[in-house]
Amino acid sequence: MAQHDPRRAIPRTDDLMRLPEVLEATQRLSIAAVKARVRAAQDRARTGEITPDAVADELIRTLEERGASLTPVLNATGIVVHTNLGRAPLSPAAQQAVEDASGYVDVEMDLDSGRRSKRGVGARQALLDACPAAEDALVVNNGAGALVLATTAFAFQREVVISRGEFVEIGAGFRLSDLMTSTGAVLREVGTTNRTHREDYAQAIGEQTGCVLKVHPSNFRVSGFTSGVGISELRTVAETAGVPLIVDVGSGLLHHDPALPEEPDLTSALEAGADLVIASGDKLLGGPQAGLLLGRAEIIQKLAKHPLARAVRCDKLTLAALEATLTAAQPPVQQYLHADPDHLRVRAERLAHHVTQAGYRGISVVPHDGRVGGGGAPGVPLPGWAVALPEMVAGALRTGSPAVVGRVHDGACLIDLRCIPEHDDDRLATAVIAALGGHP
Ligand SMILES: *Cc1c(COP(=O)(O)O)cnc(C)c1O
Protein backbone atom coordinates (compact mmCIF):
# COMPACT_ATOMS: atom_id res chain seq x y z
CA MET A 1 0.00 0.00 0.00
CA ALA A 2 2.81 2.34 0.90
CA GLN A 3 3.85 2.61 -2.75
CA HIS A 4 0.46 4.13 -3.53
CA ASP A 5 0.73 6.79 -0.84
CA PRO A 6 0.70 9.95 -3.00
CA ARG A 7 2.90 11.70 -0.45
CA ARG A 8 5.78 9.55 -1.64
CA ALA A 9 5.61 11.52 -4.87
CA ILE A 10 6.44 14.82 -3.17
CA PRO A 11 9.57 16.22 -4.89
CA ARG A 12 12.75 15.92 -2.86
CA THR A 13 14.49 19.01 -1.50
CA ASP A 14 17.62 18.47 -3.62
CA ASP A 15 15.58 18.27 -6.81
CA LEU A 16 13.60 21.38 -5.96
CA MET A 17 16.80 23.28 -5.12
CA ARG A 18 18.11 22.55 -8.64
CA LEU A 19 15.14 24.16 -10.45
CA PRO A 20 16.32 27.19 -12.48
CA GLU A 21 13.79 29.47 -10.77
CA VAL A 22 15.03 28.35 -7.36
CA LEU A 23 18.68 28.81 -8.31
CA GLU A 24 17.83 32.30 -9.51
CA ALA A 25 16.04 33.06 -6.23
CA THR A 26 19.15 32.18 -4.22
CA GLN A 27 20.76 35.30 -5.72
CA ARG A 28 18.15 37.44 -3.94
CA LEU A 29 17.21 35.35 -0.89
CA SER A 30 19.24 33.66 1.80
CA ILE A 31 19.58 29.88 1.61
CA ALA A 32 17.67 29.64 4.88
CA ALA A 33 14.75 31.62 3.43
CA VAL A 34 14.68 29.52 0.25
CA LYS A 35 14.80 26.25 2.20
CA ALA A 36 12.01 27.42 4.49
CA ARG A 37 9.83 28.00 1.44
CA VAL A 38 10.79 24.60 0.01
CA ARG A 39 9.71 22.95 3.26
CA ALA A 40 6.48 24.98 3.38
CA ALA A 41 5.55 23.85 -0.16
CA GLN A 42 6.36 20.20 0.65
CA ASP A 43 4.34 20.45 3.86
CA ARG A 44 1.31 21.70 1.97
CA ALA A 45 1.49 18.58 -0.20
CA ARG A 46 1.94 16.38 2.88
CA THR A 47 -1.23 17.73 4.44
CA GLY A 48 -3.05 17.24 1.16
CA GLU A 49 -3.66 20.94 0.54
CA ILE A 50 -1.97 20.63 -2.85
CA THR A 51 -1.03 17.63 -5.01
CA PRO A 52 2.62 16.52 -5.15
CA ASP A 53 2.95 17.63 -8.75
CA ALA A 54 1.87 21.17 -7.78
CA VAL A 55 4.75 21.56 -5.28
CA ALA A 56 7.26 23.05 -7.74
CA ASP A 57 4.79 25.67 -9.01
CA GLU A 58 3.72 26.52 -5.47
CA LEU A 59 7.36 26.96 -4.47
CA ILE A 60 8.11 29.20 -7.45
CA ARG A 61 5.07 31.33 -6.60
CA THR A 62 6.13 31.82 -2.97
CA LEU A 63 9.69 32.68 -4.04
CA GLU A 64 8.25 35.61 -5.97
CA GLU A 65 6.40 37.00 -2.95
CA ARG A 66 7.78 39.97 -1.05
CA GLY A 67 10.62 38.93 1.22
CA ALA A 68 9.47 41.05 4.16
CA SER A 69 6.58 40.14 6.41
CA LEU A 70 5.89 43.77 7.43
CA THR A 71 3.37 45.13 4.92
CA PRO A 72 2.98 48.88 4.38
CA VAL A 73 -0.56 49.94 5.26
CA LEU A 74 -2.85 52.88 4.51
CA ASN A 75 -4.21 53.80 7.94
CA ALA A 76 -7.88 54.67 7.35
CA THR A 77 -8.87 54.31 11.01
CA GLY A 78 -8.56 57.99 11.92
CA ILE A 79 -6.33 56.95 14.86
CA VAL A 80 -3.18 59.04 14.56
CA VAL A 81 -0.79 57.09 16.82
CA HIS A 82 -2.01 53.57 16.07
CA THR A 83 -0.09 51.09 18.23
CA ASN A 84 -0.88 48.09 16.00
CA LEU A 85 0.17 50.00 12.90
CA GLY A 86 3.59 51.05 14.17
CA ARG A 87 2.61 54.27 15.99
CA ALA A 88 4.16 57.32 14.29
CA PRO A 89 4.90 57.31 10.54
CA LEU A 90 8.24 58.98 9.88
CA SER A 91 8.41 62.27 7.99
CA PRO A 92 10.05 62.21 4.52
CA ALA A 93 13.10 63.92 6.07
CA ALA A 94 13.36 61.26 8.77
CA GLN A 95 12.97 58.46 6.22
CA GLN A 96 15.78 59.97 4.18
CA ALA A 97 17.95 60.31 7.29
CA VAL A 98 17.41 56.62 8.10
CA GLU A 99 18.43 55.65 4.60
CA ASP A 100 21.54 57.85 4.77
CA ALA A 101 22.55 56.44 8.15
CA SER A 102 21.98 52.81 7.20
CA GLY A 103 25.47 52.27 5.83
CA TYR A 104 28.74 53.25 7.52
CA VAL A 105 28.24 56.60 9.18
CA ASP A 106 30.24 58.81 11.55
CA VAL A 107 28.04 58.04 14.56
CA GLU A 108 31.06 57.89 16.90
CA MET A 109 33.82 59.53 14.91
CA ASP A 110 34.90 63.10 14.39
CA LEU A 111 35.78 63.20 10.70
CA ASP A 112 38.01 66.28 11.11
CA SER A 113 40.37 64.71 13.62
CA GLY A 114 39.66 61.05 12.87
CA ARG A 115 39.20 60.50 16.60
CA ARG A 116 36.41 58.83 18.47
CA SER A 117 33.56 61.23 19.25
CA LYS A 118 30.47 61.21 21.43
CA ARG A 119 27.47 59.31 20.19
CA GLY A 120 24.18 61.06 19.36
CA VAL A 121 25.45 64.63 19.48
CA GLY A 122 23.16 65.84 16.68
CA ALA A 123 20.00 64.31 18.13
CA ARG A 124 20.84 65.70 21.57
CA GLN A 125 21.36 69.20 20.16
CA ALA A 126 18.14 69.01 18.15
CA LEU A 127 16.23 68.06 21.32
CA LEU A 128 17.75 70.95 23.26
CA ASP A 129 16.96 73.39 20.44
CA ALA A 130 13.37 72.12 20.36
CA CYS A 131 13.05 72.26 24.15
CA PRO A 132 15.28 75.05 25.53
CA ALA A 133 13.82 74.56 29.02
CA ALA A 134 16.09 71.50 29.36
CA GLU A 135 19.77 71.80 30.28
CA ASP A 136 20.68 68.43 28.81
CA ALA A 137 19.12 65.45 27.04
CA LEU A 138 19.66 61.72 26.59
CA VAL A 139 18.03 59.42 24.04
CA VAL A 140 17.43 55.73 24.76
CA ASN A 141 15.60 52.86 23.11
CA ASN A 142 12.02 53.62 24.20
CA GLY A 143 9.92 55.30 26.87
CA ALA A 144 9.87 52.21 29.07
CA GLY A 145 13.67 52.04 28.88
CA ALA A 146 13.91 55.69 29.88
CA LEU A 147 11.68 55.14 32.91
CA VAL A 148 13.51 52.04 34.10
CA LEU A 149 16.87 53.78 33.67
CA ALA A 150 15.76 56.83 35.66
CA THR A 151 14.10 54.94 38.50
CA THR A 152 16.98 52.46 38.76
CA ALA A 153 19.58 55.22 38.83
CA PHE A 154 17.77 57.15 41.58
CA ALA A 155 15.82 54.55 43.54
CA PHE A 156 17.65 51.21 43.39
CA GLN A 157 16.71 49.55 46.71
CA ARG A 158 15.14 52.85 47.64
CA GLU A 159 11.64 54.21 47.22
CA VAL A 160 9.87 55.78 44.27
CA VAL A 161 7.04 57.85 45.70
CA ILE A 162 4.08 57.61 43.30
CA SER A 163 0.32 58.24 43.46
CA ARG A 164 -2.06 55.25 43.27
CA GLY A 165 -3.93 57.19 40.59
CA GLU A 166 -0.92 56.88 38.30
CA PHE A 167 -0.47 53.13 38.06
CA VAL A 168 -0.56 52.67 34.30
CA GLU A 169 -0.71 49.47 32.29
CA ILE A 170 0.68 50.16 28.82
CA GLY A 171 0.17 47.82 25.84
CA ALA A 172 0.34 44.01 25.82
CA GLY A 173 -0.22 43.69 29.58
CA PHE A 174 2.96 45.48 30.66
CA ARG A 175 2.66 47.59 33.80
CA LEU A 176 4.98 50.49 34.49
CA SER A 177 4.95 49.53 38.20
CA ASP A 178 6.28 46.02 37.42
CA LEU A 179 8.85 47.52 35.10
CA MET A 180 10.25 49.77 37.82
CA THR A 181 10.33 47.11 40.54
CA SER A 182 11.94 44.58 38.15
CA THR A 183 15.29 46.35 38.43
CA GLY A 184 15.21 46.90 42.17
CA ALA A 185 13.28 50.09 42.85
CA VAL A 186 10.70 49.93 45.61
CA LEU A 187 7.37 51.64 45.03
CA ARG A 188 5.93 53.76 47.81
CA GLU A 189 2.28 54.18 46.85
CA VAL A 190 0.45 57.24 48.11
CA GLY A 191 -3.16 58.47 47.93
CA THR A 192 -6.03 56.58 46.31
CA THR A 193 -7.13 55.84 42.76
CA ASN A 194 -9.17 59.01 42.49
CA ARG A 195 -7.59 61.42 44.98
CA THR A 196 -4.06 62.15 46.10
CA HIS A 197 -3.05 65.19 48.15
CA ARG A 198 0.17 66.99 48.85
CA GLU A 199 0.25 65.67 52.43
CA ASP A 200 0.17 62.10 51.12
CA TYR A 201 3.45 62.72 49.36
CA ALA A 202 4.90 64.71 52.27
CA GLN A 203 4.13 61.91 54.73
CA ALA A 204 5.74 59.28 52.53
CA ILE A 205 9.02 61.12 52.21
CA GLY A 206 11.82 59.80 54.37
CA GLU A 207 15.26 58.25 54.59
CA GLN A 208 14.37 55.68 51.96
CA THR A 209 13.07 58.08 49.31
CA GLY A 210 14.99 57.88 46.04
CA CYS A 211 12.78 60.08 43.88
CA VAL A 212 9.29 61.46 43.49
CA LEU A 213 7.61 60.27 40.29
CA LYS A 214 4.60 61.68 38.48
CA VAL A 215 3.26 59.56 35.63
CA HIS A 216 0.74 60.85 33.11
CA PRO A 217 -2.23 58.47 32.87
CA SER A 218 -1.84 58.58 29.12
CA ASN A 219 -4.32 55.91 28.08
CA PHE A 220 -7.23 56.30 30.52
CA ARG A 221 -9.23 58.97 32.29
CA VAL A 222 -10.59 59.12 35.79
CA SER A 223 -13.42 61.60 36.18
CA GLY A 224 -15.76 62.62 38.96
CA PHE A 225 -14.49 63.15 42.53
CA THR A 226 -10.81 63.44 41.71
CA SER A 227 -7.78 65.45 42.67
CA GLY A 228 -4.08 65.23 42.03
CA VAL A 229 -0.98 67.19 42.91
CA GLY A 230 0.58 69.41 40.27
CA ILE A 231 4.23 69.51 39.34
CA SER A 232 4.96 72.85 41.03
CA GLU A 233 3.63 71.54 44.36
CA LEU A 234 5.54 68.30 44.00
CA ARG A 235 8.63 70.37 43.30
CA THR A 236 8.61 71.70 46.86
CA VAL A 237 7.97 68.22 48.29
CA ALA A 238 10.93 66.79 46.36
CA GLU A 239 13.12 69.75 47.21
CA THR A 240 12.45 69.35 50.93
CA ALA A 241 13.44 65.70 50.66
CA GLY A 242 16.46 66.52 48.55
CA VAL A 243 15.47 64.04 45.82
CA PRO A 244 14.73 64.56 42.14
CA LEU A 245 11.22 65.04 40.78
CA ILE A 246 10.76 62.86 37.71
CA VAL A 247 7.77 63.35 35.40
CA ASP A 248 6.83 60.75 32.81
CA VAL A 249 4.71 62.74 30.35
CA GLY A 250 4.37 59.82 27.94
CA SER A 251 3.37 61.36 24.65
CA GLY A 252 6.40 63.51 23.83
CA LEU A 253 4.54 66.70 23.05
CA LEU A 254 7.23 69.40 23.07
CA HIS A 255 5.01 72.37 23.86
CA HIS A 256 1.44 72.86 24.99
CA ASP A 257 -1.03 72.18 22.18
CA PRO A 258 -4.39 73.99 22.48
CA ALA A 259 -5.97 71.19 20.41
CA LEU A 260 -5.16 68.80 23.30
CA PRO A 261 -5.77 70.98 26.36
CA GLU A 262 -5.26 68.21 28.96
CA GLU A 263 -2.17 66.66 27.43
CA PRO A 264 1.04 67.42 29.35
CA ASP A 265 4.12 68.56 27.42
CA LEU A 266 7.84 68.45 28.07
CA THR A 267 8.44 72.20 28.19
CA SER A 268 5.61 72.97 30.61
CA ALA A 269 6.65 70.10 32.89
CA LEU A 270 10.23 71.40 33.05
CA GLU A 271 9.10 74.97 33.57
CA ALA A 272 6.79 73.86 36.39
CA GLY A 273 9.78 72.36 38.21
CA ALA A 274 10.44 68.81 37.05
CA ASP A 275 14.12 67.86 37.37
CA LEU A 276 13.74 65.20 34.70
CA VAL A 277 11.04 64.57 32.11
CA ILE A 278 10.52 61.32 30.19
CA ALA A 279 8.65 60.67 26.95
CA SER A 280 8.42 58.42 23.91
CA GLY A 281 9.77 59.49 20.52
CA ASP A 282 7.07 57.81 18.45
CA LYS A 283 3.89 59.18 19.95
CA LEU A 284 2.92 62.85 19.53
CA LEU A 285 6.47 63.92 18.72
CA GLY A 286 5.99 61.92 15.52
CA GLY A 287 9.47 60.41 15.33
CA PRO A 288 11.12 57.00 15.67
CA GLN A 289 10.72 54.65 18.63
CA ALA A 290 12.88 56.22 21.31
CA GLY A 291 12.89 57.18 24.95
CA LEU A 292 13.61 60.85 25.62
CA LEU A 293 15.09 62.08 28.89
CA LEU A 294 15.43 65.84 29.34
CA GLY A 295 16.25 67.92 32.37
CA ARG A 296 18.95 69.11 34.73
CA ALA A 297 22.49 68.59 33.51
CA GLU A 298 23.83 66.63 36.50
CA ILE A 299 20.85 64.28 36.39
CA ILE A 300 21.27 63.53 32.68
CA GLN A 301 25.01 62.96 33.20
CA LYS A 302 24.34 60.54 36.03
CA LEU A 303 21.90 58.61 33.81
CA ALA A 304 24.29 58.56 30.87
CA LYS A 305 26.99 56.97 33.05
CA HIS A 306 24.75 54.32 34.63
CA PRO A 307 25.55 50.76 33.44
CA LEU A 308 21.92 50.25 32.44
CA ALA A 309 22.25 53.11 29.93
CA ARG A 310 24.24 50.76 27.71
CA ALA A 311 21.45 48.18 27.80
CA VAL A 312 18.84 50.68 26.65
CA ARG A 313 21.04 52.45 24.09
CA CYS A 314 19.34 53.31 20.82
CA ASP A 315 20.83 52.66 17.40
CA LYS A 316 22.19 55.01 14.76
CA LEU A 317 18.96 54.81 12.69
CA THR A 318 16.95 56.08 15.65
CA LEU A 319 19.38 58.94 16.27
CA ALA A 320 19.26 59.92 12.60
CA ALA A 321 15.46 59.79 12.40
CA LEU A 322 14.98 61.67 15.66
CA GLU A 323 17.30 64.51 14.66
CA ALA A 324 15.57 64.84 11.28
CA THR A 325 12.10 64.73 12.88
CA LEU A 326 13.05 67.60 15.16
CA THR A 327 14.76 69.78 12.56
CA ALA A 328 12.49 69.29 9.52
CA ALA A 329 8.98 70.63 8.90
CA GLN A 330 5.95 69.28 10.80
CA PRO A 331 5.99 65.47 10.90
CA PRO A 332 2.91 63.54 9.67
CA VAL A 333 1.58 62.95 13.21
CA GLN A 334 1.30 66.70 13.81
CA GLN A 335 -0.27 67.26 10.38
CA TYR A 336 -2.86 64.53 10.95
CA LEU A 337 -3.62 65.77 14.44
CA HIS A 338 -4.39 69.24 13.12
CA ALA A 339 -6.03 68.22 9.83
CA ASP A 340 -8.73 70.66 8.75
CA PRO A 341 -12.15 68.94 9.07
CA ASP A 342 -13.52 70.79 6.02
CA HIS A 343 -10.69 69.54 3.89
CA LEU A 344 -11.14 66.00 5.23
CA ARG A 345 -14.75 66.26 4.10
CA VAL A 346 -13.75 67.35 0.59
CA ARG A 347 -11.38 64.39 0.31
CA ALA A 348 -13.96 61.95 1.67
CA GLU A 349 -16.55 63.22 -0.80
CA ARG A 350 -14.07 62.88 -3.64
CA LEU A 351 -13.45 59.26 -2.63
CA ALA A 352 -17.20 58.55 -2.36
CA HIS A 353 -17.66 60.12 -5.79
CA HIS A 354 -14.97 57.88 -7.35
CA VAL A 355 -16.55 54.79 -5.84
CA THR A 356 -20.03 55.80 -6.96
CA GLN A 357 -18.70 56.48 -10.47
CA ALA A 358 -17.32 52.94 -10.51
CA GLY A 359 -20.91 51.72 -10.16
CA TYR A 360 -21.42 51.24 -6.42
CA ARG A 361 -24.56 52.72 -4.86
CA GLY A 362 -25.30 53.81 -1.34
CA ILE A 363 -21.80 55.03 -0.45
CA SER A 364 -22.17 57.87 2.05
CA VAL A 365 -19.92 60.38 3.77
CA VAL A 366 -20.55 60.57 7.52
CA PRO A 367 -19.15 62.65 10.40
CA HIS A 368 -16.42 60.68 12.14
CA ASP A 369 -14.21 61.52 15.10
CA GLY A 370 -10.57 60.51 14.81
CA ARG A 371 -8.47 59.78 17.90
CA VAL A 372 -4.97 60.51 19.08
CA GLY A 373 -4.53 56.83 20.02
CA GLY A 374 -1.67 54.95 21.72
CA GLY A 375 -0.55 56.86 24.77
CA GLY A 376 -1.97 60.31 24.29
CA ALA A 377 -5.03 62.43 24.99
CA PRO A 378 -7.41 59.60 25.94
CA GLY A 379 -11.01 60.32 25.00
CA VAL A 380 -10.28 63.51 23.04
CA PRO A 381 -12.24 63.47 19.74
CA LEU A 382 -10.67 64.82 16.54
CA PRO A 383 -13.68 65.91 14.47
CA GLY A 384 -13.63 64.82 10.85
CA TRP A 385 -15.39 62.71 8.21
CA ALA A 386 -15.37 59.19 6.86
CA VAL A 387 -16.68 57.25 3.88
CA ALA A 388 -19.03 54.49 5.04
CA LEU A 389 -18.61 51.20 3.15
CA PRO A 390 -20.34 47.88 3.74
CA GLU A 391 -18.76 46.17 6.77
CA MET A 392 -17.92 43.04 4.80
CA VAL A 393 -15.27 44.76 2.65
CA ALA A 394 -13.02 45.36 5.64
CA GLY A 395 -11.21 42.03 5.20
CA ALA A 396 -10.66 42.47 1.46
CA LEU A 397 -9.31 45.97 2.11
CA ARG A 398 -6.82 44.69 4.68
CA THR A 399 -5.50 41.96 2.39
CA GLY A 400 -5.57 44.07 -0.79
CA SER A 401 -2.71 45.94 -2.39
CA PRO A 402 -2.12 48.48 -0.98
CA ALA A 403 -3.43 47.13 2.33
CA VAL A 404 -6.05 49.47 3.81
CA VAL A 405 -7.13 49.28 7.46
CA GLY A 406 -10.47 50.96 8.07
CA ARG A 407 -12.57 51.18 11.22
CA VAL A 408 -15.29 48.56 11.58
CA HIS A 409 -18.03 50.18 13.60
CA ASP A 410 -21.81 49.89 13.85
CA GLY A 411 -22.13 47.57 10.86
CA ALA A 412 -19.98 49.70 8.54
CA CYS A 413 -16.38 49.85 7.43
CA LEU A 414 -15.45 53.51 7.89
CA ILE A 415 -12.67 55.02 5.79
CA ASP A 416 -11.26 58.09 7.52
CA LEU A 417 -8.71 59.99 5.43
CA ARG A 418 -7.11 61.88 8.33
CA CYS A 419 -4.01 59.66 8.52
CA ILE A 420 -3.62 59.05 4.80
CA PRO A 421 -1.17 61.28 2.93
CA GLU A 422 -3.21 63.19 0.36
CA HIS A 423 -0.96 61.97 -2.47
CA ASP A 424 -2.22 58.45 -1.68
CA ASP A 425 -5.90 59.34 -2.23
CA ASP A 426 -5.92 57.83 -5.73
CA ARG A 427 -4.30 54.59 -4.55
CA LEU A 428 -6.86 54.46 -1.77
CA ALA A 429 -9.74 54.89 -4.24
CA THR A 430 -8.35 52.11 -6.44
CA ALA A 431 -7.98 49.80 -3.42
CA VAL A 432 -11.54 50.51 -2.24
CA ILE A 433 -13.02 49.84 -5.69
CA ALA A 434 -11.00 46.62 -5.96
CA ALA A 435 -12.17 45.46 -2.53
CA LEU A 436 -15.80 46.24 -3.41
CA GLY A 437 -15.31 44.20 -6.58
CA GLY A 438 -15.66 41.04 -4.54
CA HIS A 439 -18.92 42.33 -3.05
CA PRO A 440 -21.07 43.99 -5.69
C1 LIG B 1 3.78 55.08 26.26
C2 LIG B 1 4.18 55.34 27.65
C3 LIG B 1 5.29 54.72 28.20
C4 LIG B 1 6.09 53.68 27.47
O1 LIG B 1 6.77 54.23 26.40
P1 LIG B 1 7.27 53.28 25.20
O2 LIG B 1 7.94 54.22 24.26
O3 LIG B 1 6.06 52.63 24.64
O4 LIG B 1 8.20 52.29 25.78
C5 LIG B 1 5.65 55.06 29.49
N1 LIG B 1 4.93 55.96 30.20
C6 LIG B 1 3.85 56.58 29.69
C7 LIG B 1 3.11 57.57 30.52
C8 LIG B 1 3.43 56.29 28.40
O5 LIG B 1 2.36 56.91 27.89
Side-chain angles (χ1 to χ4, degrees), residues 212-407:
V212 175
L213 176 67
K214 186 169 179 64
V215 177
H216 174 50
S218 58
N219 53 11
F220 69 98
R221 266 198 317 189
V222 179
S223 61
F225 187 53
T226 63
S227 82
V229 185
I231 296 172
S232 46
E233 268 187 283
L234 286 181
R235 154 98 251 127
T236 59
V237 173
E239 217 160 62
T240 314
V243 298
L245 170 59
I246 302 175
V247 179
D248 179 5
V249 302
S251 76
L253 211 55
L254 288 166
H255 305 278
H256 179 69
D257 184 342
L260 307 172
E262 310 268 298
E263 191 63 18
D265 64 279
L266 296 165
T267 301
S268 304
L270 286 166
E271 284 173 355
D275 296 301
L276 176 69
V277 291
I278 293 172
S280 298
D282 55 347
K283 292 179 180 171
L284 292 177
L285 185 79
Q289 177 188 302
L292 314 177
L293 297 133
L294 294 98
R296 297 226 322 271
E298 70 268 27
I299 288 189
I300 296 294
Q301 275 140 37
K302 177 169 171 159
L303 297 177
K305 285 194 202 115
H306 193 280
L308 201 54
R310 185 61 177 79
V312 292
R313 187 176 91 162
C314 65
D315 73 332
K316 61 180 178 172
L317 303 182
T318 302
L319 293 170
L322 181 63
E323 181 179 353
T325 300
L326 290 162
T327 51
Q330 235 190 9
V333 162
Q334 287 295 325
Q335 289 170 28
Y336 301 159
L337 201 55
H338 298 109
D340 173 20
D342 292 337
H343 190 57
L344 289 174
R345 185 177 194 169
V346 169
R347 290 171 62 199
E349 277 168 355
R350 205 155 52 202
L351 173 60
H353 177 73
H354 277 307
V355 177
T356 307
Q357 289 264 299
Y360 297 96
R361 303 266 155 253
I363 307 295
S364 56
V365 171
V366 297
H368 182 244
D369 287 342
R371 296 280 162 181
V372 171
V380 175
L382 303 172
W385 299 84
V387 177
L389 302 174
E391 181 178 345
M392 64 197 176
V393 299
L397 278 170
R398 283 197 308 273
T399 53
S401 177
V404 178
V405 178
R407 174 167 181 237

Side-chain angles (χ1 to χ4, degrees), residues 118-133:
K118 271 197 158 168
R119 194 183 165 85
V121 182
R124 170 181 171 275
Q125 193 55 51
L127 269 175
L128 295 178
D129 292 345
C131 186

Side-chain angles (χ1 to χ4, degrees), residues 90-97 332:
L90 292 182
S91 65
Q95 292 183 30
Q96 183 63 53

